[in-house]
Amino acid sequence: MEFTSAEGEQRYAELVRAASGCVVALDFDGTLSPIVDDPTQAYIHPDAGDVLVALARQVLAVAVVTGRPARQVLALGGLEEVGGAVAEAGKELYVFGQYGNERWSSANRRIISPRPPRGLATFLDELPELLRQADAADAWIEEKGLAVAVHTRRLPDAHEAFGRLLPLVRERAERHELTVEPGRNVVEVRSPGMHKGVAVETLARELDARAFLFAGDDLGDVEAFHAVRALREQGLPTLLVCAGSEEEGSLEPLSDVVVKGPEGVLQLLRQLAADAAALHA
């Protein structure tokens, strides 16, 4: 792992000392699973389950905070099985899906979800025309129930198509009082008032966290990073981890540690679990 500053290295050491009261929250795509052309095939890294279970033994709780529907990430991550193993270790695994609108935990294996936002159905009806206007008619539309995502990754000019599409989608979404979340060659439209920062605040409050780590990879994680920095200002030991990539670098200036993709994230979590176990042996 590469610390972004001497302060980052010091924050890691403080987090190790506070590990028993630490909540570890992780994005899914690009952080625990690789970014792939077909998001339905973005399975979790094969080592992630074992790493999360070993980590859970040393920390207060582990959470996955994702823009994906909870049911989808449970399947792609094998997280029900992971949650069972975490529960056997006397700890709890949480999943916050659709930016925190959906919740699941290994103690309460039922997904709690609100109704779809007003205006989303109308926006979805209007979306094909927006894609034609952006010369991105072949972009892949992913309906998530509480949100809709438009992926340009499969297009020959993925980045340029994303740039053409974003302002059109933003204008139409705002007309329907919806929120736009840009990502890595994906634009997501969903209900306002919920984002990953709210999920971080909820976890910290409900679990009475005494330390917090968040790892993410793109713009959808910025609010979570800001929420963790707010916890830092309140005196909690914290660590912000960026799963770096050539496509997206917006989180690096906010991070304490930059690692390379899911492999790097898992390597850091292994090290954290090992250091915490050694310190408290």
Side-chain angles (χ1 to χ4, degrees):
M1 55 183 157
E2 179 181 343
F3 293 102
T4 58
S5 65
E7 288 82 3
E9 191 166 2
Q10 180 180 347
R11 286 172 187 144
Y12 175 81
E14 291 173 351
L15 196 83
V16 169
R17 291 194 290 271
S20 62
C22 182
V23 174
V24 176
L26 309 158
D27 176 40
F28 189 76
D29 290 273
T31 303
L32 289 175
S33 71
I35 297 294
V36 295
D37 289 343
D38 183 353
T40 66
Q41 300 300 309
Y43 292 99
I44 199 168
H45 189 286
D47 295 340
D50 290 341
V51 172
L52 294 181
V53 173
L55 176 67
R57 295 190 178 101
Q58 305 302 325
V59 300
L60 180 62
V62 177
V64 175
V65 182
T66 174
R68 286 184 181 267
R71 194 172 306 282
Q72 187 180 68
V73 82
L74 285 168
L76 289 172
L79 294 181
E80 293 201 66
E81 182 179 348
V82 174
V86 168
E88 289 178 4
K91 298 298 177 67
E92 195 160 1
L93 174 69
Y94 296 85
V95 173
F96 281 62
Q98 303 216 41
Y99 295 89
N101 277 307
E102 297 180 330
R103 294 183 59 172
W104 175 95
S105 77
S106 54
N108 179 16
R109 293 173 173 258
R110 181 172 62 90
I111 296 171
I112 301 171
S113 177
R115 291 177 176 272
R118 293 178 60 186
L120 187 63
T122 305
F123 172 83
L124 191 57
D125 289 340
E126 298 169 353
L127 185 54
E129 177 58 30
L130 291 181
L131 296 182
R132 286 191 288 272
Q133 291 179 28
D135 193 23
D138 292 332
W140 184 52
I141 300 172
E142 181 185 7
E143 296 184 42
K144 298 184 174 184
L146 301 179
V148 58
V150 184
H151 299 264
T152 64
R153 181 172 297 276
R154 298 178 183 178
L155 300 179
D157 60 340
H159 186 68
E160 291 80 3
F162 174 85
R164 296 192 303 269
L165 186 62
L166 181 58
L168 295 174
V169 168
R170 192 184 300 278
E171 186 277 331
R172 190 61 57 91
E174 289 176 354
R175 187 184 304 178
H176 295 298
E177 299 182 342
L178 299 168
T179 292
V180 173
E181 193 77 60
R184 291 162 67 174
N185 291 321
V186 59
V187 184
E188 184 156 330
V189 177
R190 55 185 173 82
S191 59
M194 179 59 73
H195 51 70
K196 292 185 180 182
V198 176
V200 166
E201 293 165 359
T202 299
L203 283 163
R205 181 181 66 254
E206 292 185 0
L207 300 179
D208 192 21
R210 299 187 300 280
F212 211 103
L213 179 153
F214 191 92
D217 74 308
D218 69 7
L219 289 167
D221 301 307
V222 169
E223 288 95 344
F225 271 47
H226 287 320
V228 172
R229 288 166 74 97
L231 294 174
R232 178 180 299 168
E233 291 173 2
Q234 296 170 23
L236 269 68
T238 63
L239 195 73
L240 290 168
V241 181
C242 173
S245 70
E246 295 180 359
E247 290 180 332
E248 179 60 63
S250 58
L251 291 182
E252 292 189 17
L254 302 174
S255 301
D256 300 308
V257 185
V258 178
V259 298
K260 189 174 181 180
E263 282 279 0
V265 171
L266 294 177
Q267 182 178 353
L268 182 147
L269 298 180
R270 286 190 193 95
Q271 190 65 54
L272 174 60
D275 290 343
L279 183 65
H280 298 100

